[in-house]
Structures are given as C-alpha cells and as structure tokens.
mmCIF file of all heavy atoms in Angstrom:
data_model
loop_
_atom_site.group_PDB
_atom_site.id
_atom_site.type_symbol
_atom_site.label_atom_id
_atom_site.label_comp_id
_atom_site.label_asym_id
_atom_site.label_seq_id
_atom_site.Cartn_x
_atom_site.Cartn_y
_atom_site.Cartn_z
ATOM 1 N N ARG U 28 19.102 6.185 14.197
ATOM 2 C CA ARG U 28 20.540 6.183 14.442
ATOM 3 C C ARG U 28 20.982 5.053 15.384
ATOM 4 O O ARG U 28 20.336 4.922 16.424
ATOM 5 C CB ARG U 28 20.951 7.578 15.082
ATOM 6 C CG ARG U 28 22.510 7.699 15.304
ATOM 7 C CD ARG U 28 22.941 9.066 15.662
ATOM 8 N NE ARG U 28 22.286 9.441 16.945
ATOM 9 C CZ ARG U 28 22.383 10.751 17.359
ATOM 10 N NH1 ARG U 28 22.924 11.637 16.643
ATOM 11 N NH2 ARG U 28 21.869 11.089 18.531
ATOM 12 N N ILE U 29 21.858 4.322 14.943
ATOM 13 C CA ILE U 29 22.380 3.159 15.758
ATOM 14 C C ILE U 29 23.785 3.442 16.171
ATOM 15 O O ILE U 29 24.655 3.740 15.325
ATOM 16 C CB ILE U 29 22.267 1.877 14.982
ATOM 17 C CG1 ILE U 29 20.865 1.554 14.597
ATOM 18 C CG2 ILE U 29 22.909 0.751 15.788
ATOM 19 C CD1 ILE U 29 20.674 0.355 13.672
ATOM 20 N N GLU U 30 23.986 3.522 17.484
ATOM 21 C CA GLU U 30 25.379 3.732 18.017
ATOM 22 C C GLU U 30 25.937 2.530 18.669
ATOM 23 O O GLU U 30 25.249 1.711 19.263
ATOM 24 C CB GLU U 30 25.277 4.920 19.011
ATOM 25 C CG GLU U 30 24.757 6.260 18.498
ATOM 26 C CD GLU U 30 24.722 7.312 19.460
ATOM 27 O OE1 GLU U 30 24.561 6.971 20.735
ATOM 28 O OE2 GLU U 30 24.789 8.473 19.093
ATOM 29 N N GLY U 31 27.312 2.405 18.602
ATOM 30 C CA GLY U 31 27.951 1.345 19.304
ATOM 31 C C GLY U 31 28.086 0.019 18.598
ATOM 32 O O GLY U 31 28.676 -0.908 19.083
ATOM 33 N N HIS U 32 27.629 -0.058 17.299
ATOM 34 C CA HIS U 32 27.700 -1.324 16.608
ATOM 35 C C HIS U 32 29.184 -1.466 16.140
ATOM 36 O O HIS U 32 29.779 -0.553 15.564
ATOM 37 C CB HIS U 32 26.742 -1.293 15.439
ATOM 38 C CG HIS U 32 26.646 -2.685 14.784
ATOM 39 N ND1 HIS U 32 27.462 -2.996 13.769
ATOM 40 C CD2 HIS U 32 25.798 -3.639 14.944
ATOM 41 C CE1 HIS U 32 27.072 -4.244 13.328
ATOM 42 N NE2 HIS U 32 26.047 -4.617 14.075
ATOM 43 N N PRO U 33 29.691 -2.606 16.297
ATOM 44 C CA PRO U 33 31.186 -2.776 15.954
ATOM 45 C C PRO U 33 31.491 -2.779 14.432
ATOM 46 O O PRO U 33 32.655 -2.455 14.130
ATOM 47 C CB PRO U 33 31.468 -4.178 16.636
ATOM 48 C CG PRO U 33 30.173 -4.871 16.612
ATOM 49 C CD PRO U 33 29.142 -3.910 16.909
ATOM 50 N N GLY U 34 30.505 -3.135 13.605
ATOM 51 C CA GLY U 34 30.785 -3.120 12.271
ATOM 52 C C GLY U 34 30.130 -1.995 11.476
ATOM 53 O O GLY U 34 29.388 -1.229 11.917
ATOM 54 N N ARG U 35 30.284 -2.035 10.115
ATOM 55 C CA ARG U 35 29.626 -1.090 9.233
ATOM 56 C C ARG U 35 28.213 -1.533 8.962
ATOM 57 O O ARG U 35 28.038 -2.733 8.530
ATOM 58 C CB ARG U 35 30.422 -0.911 8.050
ATOM 59 C CG ARG U 35 29.770 0.100 7.020
ATOM 60 C CD ARG U 35 30.719 0.215 5.757
ATOM 61 N NE ARG U 35 30.094 1.095 4.793
ATOM 62 C CZ ARG U 35 30.068 2.443 4.813
ATOM 63 N NH1 ARG U 35 30.809 3.087 5.738
ATOM 64 N NH2 ARG U 35 29.425 3.137 3.867
ATOM 65 N N LEU U 36 27.193 -0.633 9.078
ATOM 66 C CA LEU U 36 25.791 -1.067 8.912
ATOM 67 C C LEU U 36 25.392 -0.550 7.495
ATOM 68 O O LEU U 36 25.773 0.693 7.075
ATOM 69 C CB LEU U 36 24.859 -0.477 9.894
ATOM 70 C CG LEU U 36 24.999 -1.229 11.292
ATOM 71 C CD1 LEU U 36 24.083 -0.443 12.294
ATOM 72 C CD2 LEU U 36 24.479 -2.627 11.197
ATOM 73 N N THR U 37 24.664 -1.273 6.753
ATOM 74 C CA THR U 37 23.989 -0.758 5.500
ATOM 75 C C THR U 37 22.607 -0.908 5.609
ATOM 76 O O THR U 37 21.987 -1.481 6.550
ATOM 77 C CB THR U 37 24.478 -1.620 4.209
ATOM 78 O OG1 THR U 37 23.932 -2.890 4.361
ATOM 79 C CG2 THR U 37 26.041 -1.806 4.251
ATOM 80 N N SER U 38 21.841 -0.384 4.650
ATOM 81 C CA SER U 38 20.353 -0.377 4.785
ATOM 82 C C SER U 38 19.822 -1.820 4.676
ATOM 83 O O SER U 38 18.707 -2.096 5.183
ATOM 84 C CB SER U 38 19.759 0.366 3.628
ATOM 85 O OG SER U 38 20.245 -0.103 2.277
ATOM 86 N N ASP U 39 20.696 -2.767 4.155
ATOM 87 C CA ASP U 39 20.196 -4.151 4.198
ATOM 88 C C ASP U 39 20.224 -4.771 5.531
ATOM 89 O O ASP U 39 19.664 -5.956 5.713
ATOM 90 C CB ASP U 39 21.060 -4.925 3.169
ATOM 91 C CG ASP U 39 20.942 -4.612 1.671
ATOM 92 O OD1 ASP U 39 19.859 -4.040 1.373
ATOM 93 O OD2 ASP U 39 21.914 -4.646 0.956
ATOM 94 N N ASP U 40 20.932 -4.243 6.419
ATOM 95 C CA ASP U 40 21.023 -4.789 7.802
ATOM 96 C C ASP U 40 19.857 -4.401 8.793
ATOM 97 O O ASP U 40 19.779 -4.870 9.847
ATOM 98 C CB ASP U 40 22.338 -4.363 8.470
ATOM 99 C CG ASP U 40 23.515 -4.831 7.681
ATOM 100 O OD1 ASP U 40 23.532 -6.070 7.264
ATOM 101 O OD2 ASP U 40 24.463 -4.013 7.418
ATOM 102 N N VAL U 41 19.026 -3.383 8.356
ATOM 103 C CA VAL U 41 18.070 -2.890 9.233
ATOM 104 C C VAL U 41 16.683 -2.922 8.439
ATOM 105 O O VAL U 41 16.475 -2.667 7.311
ATOM 106 C CB VAL U 41 18.334 -1.334 9.505
ATOM 107 C CG1 VAL U 41 17.226 -0.824 10.443
ATOM 108 C CG2 VAL U 41 19.698 -1.188 10.093
ATOM 109 N N THR U 42 15.709 -3.495 9.285
ATOM 110 C CA THR U 42 14.366 -3.576 8.781
ATOM 111 C C THR U 42 13.403 -2.930 9.715
ATOM 112 O O THR U 42 13.382 -3.158 10.953
ATOM 113 C CB THR U 42 13.867 -5.157 8.733
ATOM 114 O OG1 THR U 42 14.779 -5.792 7.906
ATOM 115 C CG2 THR U 42 12.416 -5.221 8.164
ATOM 116 N N GLY U 43 12.622 -1.968 9.159
ATOM 117 C CA GLY U 43 11.575 -1.231 9.939
ATOM 118 C C GLY U 43 10.242 -1.962 9.734
ATOM 119 O O GLY U 43 9.982 -2.421 8.687
ATOM 120 N N VAL U 44 9.501 -1.975 10.824
ATOM 121 C CA VAL U 44 8.243 -2.616 10.791
ATOM 122 C C VAL U 44 7.123 -1.515 10.751
ATOM 123 O O VAL U 44 6.987 -0.646 11.658
ATOM 124 C CB VAL U 44 7.914 -3.455 12.084
ATOM 125 C CG1 VAL U 44 6.641 -4.125 12.008
ATOM 126 C CG2 VAL U 44 9.072 -4.544 12.204
ATOM 127 N N VAL U 45 6.279 -1.547 9.657
ATOM 128 C CA VAL U 45 5.135 -0.692 9.606
ATOM 129 C C VAL U 45 4.033 -1.145 10.406
ATOM 130 O O VAL U 45 3.535 -2.298 10.320
ATOM 131 C CB VAL U 45 4.755 -0.632 8.127
ATOM 132 C CG1 VAL U 45 3.573 0.358 7.956
ATOM 133 C CG2 VAL U 45 5.891 -0.065 7.179
ATOM 134 N N VAL U 46 3.545 -0.332 11.314
ATOM 135 C CA VAL U 46 2.432 -0.695 12.255
ATOM 136 C C VAL U 46 1.211 0.275 12.058
ATOM 137 O O VAL U 46 1.416 1.473 12.125
ATOM 138 C CB VAL U 46 3.001 -0.633 13.698
ATOM 139 C CG1 VAL U 46 1.806 -0.961 14.636
ATOM 140 C CG2 VAL U 46 4.104 -1.614 13.878
ATOM 141 N N HIS U 47 0.090 -0.348 11.840
ATOM 142 C CA HIS U 47 -1.056 0.480 11.856
ATOM 143 C C HIS U 47 -2.269 -0.494 11.886
ATOM 144 O O HIS U 47 -2.128 -1.642 11.678
ATOM 145 C CB HIS U 47 -1.222 1.340 10.483
ATOM 146 C CG HIS U 47 -1.091 0.576 9.296
ATOM 147 N ND1 HIS U 47 -2.152 -0.191 8.752
ATOM 148 C CD2 HIS U 47 -0.075 0.410 8.458
ATOM 149 C CE1 HIS U 47 -1.738 -0.645 7.571
ATOM 150 N NE2 HIS U 47 -0.470 -0.305 7.377
ATOM 151 N N SER U 48 -3.470 0.041 12.178
ATOM 152 C CA SER U 48 -4.606 -0.819 12.183
ATOM 153 C C SER U 48 -4.869 -1.498 10.797
ATOM 154 O O SER U 48 -4.554 -0.845 9.710
ATOM 155 C CB SER U 48 -5.909 0.037 12.450
ATOM 156 O OG SER U 48 -5.819 0.444 13.891
ATOM 157 N N ASP U 49 -5.282 -2.716 10.850
ATOM 158 C CA ASP U 49 -5.433 -3.564 9.615
ATOM 159 C C ASP U 49 -6.636 -3.011 8.834
ATOM 160 O O ASP U 49 -7.704 -3.789 8.753
ATOM 161 C CB ASP U 49 -5.484 -4.946 10.078
ATOM 162 C CG ASP U 49 -5.330 -5.794 8.719
ATOM 163 O OD1 ASP U 49 -5.028 -5.401 7.702
ATOM 164 O OD2 ASP U 49 -5.637 -7.083 8.901
ATOM 165 N N LEU U 50 -6.571 -1.853 8.288
ATOM 166 C CA LEU U 50 -7.758 -1.363 7.510
ATOM 167 C C LEU U 50 -7.627 -1.905 6.054
ATOM 168 O O LEU U 50 -6.559 -1.795 5.417
ATOM 169 C CB LEU U 50 -7.676 0.206 7.489
ATOM 170 C CG LEU U 50 -7.691 0.822 8.917
ATOM 171 C CD1 LEU U 50 -7.567 2.334 8.781
ATOM 172 C CD2 LEU U 50 -8.956 0.470 9.664
ATOM 173 N N ARG U 51 -8.721 -2.176 5.478
ATOM 174 C CA ARG U 51 -8.812 -2.653 4.123
ATOM 175 C C ARG U 51 -8.698 -1.424 3.150
ATOM 176 O O ARG U 51 -9.476 -0.468 3.283
ATOM 177 C CB ARG U 51 -10.086 -3.379 3.786
ATOM 178 C CG ARG U 51 -10.282 -3.879 2.393
ATOM 179 C CD ARG U 51 -11.527 -4.740 2.231
ATOM 180 N NE ARG U 51 -12.732 -4.092 2.545
ATOM 181 C CZ ARG U 51 -13.412 -3.435 1.594
ATOM 182 N NH1 ARG U 51 -13.084 -3.417 0.385
ATOM 183 N NH2 ARG U 51 -14.505 -2.749 2.074
ATOM 184 N N ARG U 52 -7.802 -1.471 2.250
ATOM 185 C CA ARG U 52 -7.625 -0.331 1.222
ATOM 186 C C ARG U 52 -8.795 -0.269 0.314
ATOM 187 O O ARG U 52 -9.255 -1.329 -0.199
ATOM 188 C CB ARG U 52 -6.302 -0.484 0.504
ATOM 189 C CG ARG U 52 -6.028 0.738 -0.445
ATOM 190 C CD ARG U 52 -5.522 1.873 0.297
ATOM 191 N NE ARG U 52 -5.365 3.018 -0.508
ATOM 192 C CZ ARG U 52 -4.164 3.462 -1.000
ATOM 193 N NH1 ARG U 52 -3.065 2.768 -0.735
ATOM 194 N NH2 ARG U 52 -4.005 4.574 -1.801
ATOM 195 N N THR U 53 -9.393 0.865 0.085
ATOM 196 C CA THR U 53 -10.597 0.961 -0.781
ATOM 197 C C THR U 53 -10.440 2.058 -1.763
ATOM 198 O O THR U 53 -11.331 2.199 -2.710
ATOM 199 C CB THR U 53 -11.904 1.216 0.085
ATOM 200 O OG1 THR U 53 -11.634 2.466 0.879
ATOM 201 C CG2 THR U 53 -12.163 0.069 1.038
ATOM 202 N N GLY U 54 -9.397 2.897 -1.761
ATOM 203 C CA GLY U 54 -9.354 4.073 -2.645
ATOM 204 C C GLY U 54 -7.976 4.266 -3.289
ATOM 205 O O GLY U 54 -6.968 4.154 -2.507
ATOM 206 N N TRP U 55 -7.905 4.628 -4.573
ATOM 207 C CA TRP U 55 -6.593 4.897 -5.128
ATOM 208 C C TRP U 55 -6.736 6.145 -6.121
ATOM 209 O O TRP U 55 -7.887 6.357 -6.700
ATOM 210 C CB TRP U 55 -6.129 3.693 -6.000
ATOM 211 C CG TRP U 55 -5.848 2.490 -5.210
ATOM 212 C CD1 TRP U 55 -4.616 2.068 -4.709
ATOM 213 C CD2 TRP U 55 -6.792 1.521 -4.715
ATOM 214 N NE1 TRP U 55 -4.808 0.902 -3.996
ATOM 215 C CE2 TRP U 55 -6.108 0.519 -4.007
ATOM 216 C CE3 TRP U 55 -8.148 1.388 -4.890
ATOM 217 C CZ2 TRP U 55 -6.667 -0.554 -3.412
ATOM 218 C CZ3 TRP U 55 -8.743 0.219 -4.330
ATOM 219 C CH2 TRP U 55 -8.016 -0.703 -3.582
ATOM 220 N N PHE U 56 -5.683 6.729 -6.322
ATOM 221 C CA PHE U 56 -5.806 7.979 -7.254
ATOM 222 C C PHE U 56 -4.391 8.151 -7.943
ATOM 223 O O PHE U 56 -3.383 7.981 -7.252
ATOM 224 C CB PHE U 56 -6.125 9.278 -6.569
ATOM 225 C CG PHE U 56 -6.003 10.466 -7.353
ATOM 226 C CD1 PHE U 56 -7.056 10.883 -8.318
ATOM 227 C CD2 PHE U 56 -4.798 11.192 -7.471
ATOM 228 C CE1 PHE U 56 -6.929 12.025 -9.097
ATOM 229 C CE2 PHE U 56 -4.660 12.310 -8.258
ATOM 230 C CZ PHE U 56 -5.701 12.779 -9.082
ATOM 231 N N ARG U 57 -4.364 8.417 -9.196
ATOM 232 C CA ARG U 57 -3.080 8.818 -9.912
ATOM 233 C C ARG U 57 -3.484 9.832 -11.006
ATOM 234 O O ARG U 57 -4.673 9.893 -11.382
ATOM 235 C CB ARG U 57 -2.485 7.605 -10.601
ATOM 236 C CG ARG U 57 -1.971 6.548 -9.644
ATOM 237 C CD ARG U 57 -1.104 5.451 -10.455
ATOM 238 N NE ARG U 57 -1.848 5.064 -11.698
ATOM 239 C CZ ARG U 57 -1.206 4.815 -12.827
ATOM 240 N NH1 ARG U 57 0.018 5.036 -13.004
ATOM 241 N NH2 ARG U 57 -1.913 4.382 -13.875
ATOM 242 N N CYS U 58 -2.495 10.644 -11.394
ATOM 243 C CA CYS U 58 -2.739 11.572 -12.442
ATOM 244 C C CYS U 58 -1.451 11.893 -13.220
ATOM 245 O O CYS U 58 -0.389 11.358 -12.817
ATOM 246 C CB CYS U 58 -3.369 12.846 -11.906
ATOM 247 S SG CYS U 58 -2.244 13.909 -10.893
ATOM 248 N N SER U 59 -1.581 12.627 -14.246
ATOM 249 C CA SER U 59 -0.367 12.940 -15.148
ATOM 250 C C SER U 59 0.705 13.801 -14.454
ATOM 251 O O SER U 59 1.816 13.856 -14.941
ATOM 252 C CB SER U 59 -0.827 13.566 -16.443
ATOM 253 O OG SER U 59 -1.534 14.758 -16.183
ATOM 254 N N ASP U 60 0.315 14.523 -13.407
ATOM 255 C CA ASP U 60 1.239 15.421 -12.687
ATOM 256 C C ASP U 60 1.880 14.500 -11.486
ATOM 257 O O ASP U 60 1.199 14.172 -10.578
ATOM 258 C CB ASP U 60 0.523 16.506 -12.082
ATOM 259 C CG ASP U 60 1.457 17.625 -11.540
ATOM 260 O OD1 ASP U 60 2.350 17.199 -10.710
ATOM 261 O OD2 ASP U 60 1.343 18.791 -11.909
ATOM 262 N N GLU U 61 3.168 14.094 -11.731
ATOM 263 C CA GLU U 61 3.744 13.190 -10.752
ATOM 264 C C GLU U 61 3.783 13.833 -9.339
ATOM 265 O O GLU U 61 3.827 13.067 -8.376
ATOM 266 C CB GLU U 61 5.194 12.944 -11.297
ATOM 267 C CG GLU U 61 5.258 12.047 -12.518
ATOM 268 C CD GLU U 61 6.656 11.680 -12.924
ATOM 269 O OE1 GLU U 61 7.621 12.008 -12.196
ATOM 270 O OE2 GLU U 61 6.723 11.062 -13.989
ATOM 271 N N ARG U 62 3.935 15.133 -9.235
ATOM 272 C CA ARG U 62 4.088 15.770 -7.882
ATOM 273 C C ARG U 62 2.730 15.567 -7.094
ATOM 274 O O ARG U 62 2.566 15.360 -5.971
ATOM 275 C CB ARG U 62 4.493 17.151 -7.938
ATOM 276 C CG ARG U 62 5.976 17.339 -8.432
ATOM 277 C CD ARG U 62 6.493 18.638 -8.197
ATOM 278 N NE ARG U 62 5.682 19.698 -8.907
ATOM 279 C CZ ARG U 62 5.777 20.979 -8.722
ATOM 280 N NH1 ARG U 62 6.690 21.528 -7.964
ATOM 281 N NH2 ARG U 62 5.071 21.793 -9.441
ATOM 282 N N VAL U 63 1.606 15.809 -7.929
ATOM 283 C CA VAL U 63 0.267 15.679 -7.264
ATOM 284 C C VAL U 63 0.006 14.197 -6.827
ATOM 285 O O VAL U 63 -0.402 13.968 -5.673
ATOM 286 C CB VAL U 63 -0.906 16.106 -8.293
ATOM 287 C CG1 VAL U 63 -2.190 15.788 -7.715
ATOM 288 C CG2 VAL U 63 -0.732 17.630 -8.480
ATOM 289 N N SER U 64 0.416 13.239 -7.707
ATOM 290 C CA SER U 64 0.287 11.875 -7.364
ATOM 291 C C SER U 64 1.192 11.538 -6.109
ATOM 292 O O SER U 64 0.704 10.760 -5.224
ATOM 293 C CB SER U 64 0.756 10.936 -8.509
ATOM 294 O OG SER U 64 -0.122 11.138 -9.606
ATOM 295 N N ARG U 65 2.341 12.209 -6.020
ATOM 296 C CA ARG U 65 3.241 11.908 -4.973
ATOM 297 C C ARG U 65 2.553 12.554 -3.624
ATOM 298 O O ARG U 65 2.667 11.896 -2.576
ATOM 299 C CB ARG U 65 4.507 12.630 -5.197
ATOM 300 C CG ARG U 65 5.547 12.611 -4.010
ATOM 301 C CD ARG U 65 5.938 11.225 -3.681
ATOM 302 N NE ARG U 65 6.903 11.131 -2.567
ATOM 303 C CZ ARG U 65 7.059 10.198 -1.652
ATOM 304 N NH1 ARG U 65 6.313 9.093 -1.824
ATOM 305 N NH2 ARG U 65 7.922 10.206 -0.721
ATOM 306 N N PHE U 66 1.925 13.728 -3.723
ATOM 307 C CA PHE U 66 1.261 14.214 -2.561
ATOM 308 C C PHE U 66 0.183 13.274 -2.002
ATOM 309 O O PHE U 66 -0.024 13.079 -0.826
ATOM 310 C CB PHE U 66 0.739 15.621 -2.745
ATOM 311 C CG PHE U 66 0.239 16.262 -1.486
ATOM 312 C CD1 PHE U 66 1.049 16.875 -0.572
ATOM 313 C CD2 PHE U 66 -1.129 16.216 -1.182
ATOM 314 C CE1 PHE U 66 0.618 17.342 0.571
ATOM 315 C CE2 PHE U 66 -1.545 16.760 0.062
ATOM 316 C CZ PHE U 66 -0.700 17.288 0.877
ATOM 317 N N HIS U 67 -0.540 12.763 -2.989
ATOM 318 C CA HIS U 67 -1.627 11.765 -2.661
ATOM 319 C C HIS U 67 -1.014 10.654 -1.832
ATOM 320 O O HIS U 67 -1.508 10.088 -0.860
ATOM 321 C CB HIS U 67 -2.319 11.295 -3.871
ATOM 322 C CG HIS U 67 -3.601 10.497 -3.519
ATOM 323 N ND1 HIS U 67 -3.492 9.227 -3.280
ATOM 324 C CD2 HIS U 67 -4.870 10.801 -3.413
ATOM 325 C CE1 HIS U 67 -4.747 8.734 -3.023
ATOM 326 N NE2 HIS U 67 -5.602 9.673 -3.122
ATOM 327 N N GLU U 68 0.214 10.091 -2.289
ATOM 328 C CA GLU U 68 0.866 9.041 -1.705
ATOM 329 C C GLU U 68 1.348 9.332 -0.237
ATOM 330 O O GLU U 68 1.143 8.582 0.611
ATOM 331 C CB GLU U 68 2.080 8.583 -2.567
ATOM 332 C CG GLU U 68 2.821 7.422 -2.063
ATOM 333 C CD GLU U 68 4.031 7.013 -2.817
ATOM 334 O OE1 GLU U 68 4.060 7.503 -3.978
ATOM 335 O OE2 GLU U 68 4.859 6.310 -2.349
ATOM 336 N N ILE U 69 1.893 10.541 -0.088
ATOM 337 C CA ILE U 69 2.356 10.888 1.300
ATOM 338 C C ILE U 69 1.206 11.148 2.242
ATOM 339 O O ILE U 69 1.321 10.909 3.472
ATOM 340 C CB ILE U 69 3.431 12.049 1.246
ATOM 341 C CG1 ILE U 69 2.711 13.443 0.993
ATOM 342 C CG2 ILE U 69 4.517 11.812 0.356
ATOM 343 C CD1 ILE U 69 3.571 14.544 1.110
#
C-alpha cells in the first residue's frame, strides 16, 4: 500500500524485487491436473 502519492498509480508504476539465495534450479514438474501443477508452483 502506497499512501500520499499525488497521482494515480497503476501496476506499471511499481516494481517488486524478488530476493533469494542464488540457487541453481534443478527440478521441474507438471501434470494434467492444473491445480496440482499450481500447488507445485506455489
């Protein structure tokens, strides 16, 4: 939440920075059930 900005803000005006240890990705999974794939993603 941004308060006090004089103009209207849109999602294009704000950039979030993802921060985590620089780990090399080594594993992926997908399946025909989109909700299961989504849970793997979250």
Side-chain angles (χ1 to χ4, degrees):
R28 180 171 63 192
I29 298 175
E30 297 179 336
H32 191 272
R35 178 179 177 82
L36 289 173
T37 71
S38 58
D39 294 333
D40 297 316
V41 181
T42 300
V44 179
V45 178
V46 178
H47 55 79
S48 291
D49 189 15
L50 304 176
R51 180 174 61 91
R52 186 74 185 261
T53 58
W55 297 264
F56 171 87
R57 294 190 312 142
C58 69
S59 59
D60 192 310
E61 292 184 4
R62 292 191 301 171
V63 173
S64 296
R65 175 62 180 154
F66 186 80
H67 190 277
E68 182 181 344
I69 70 173

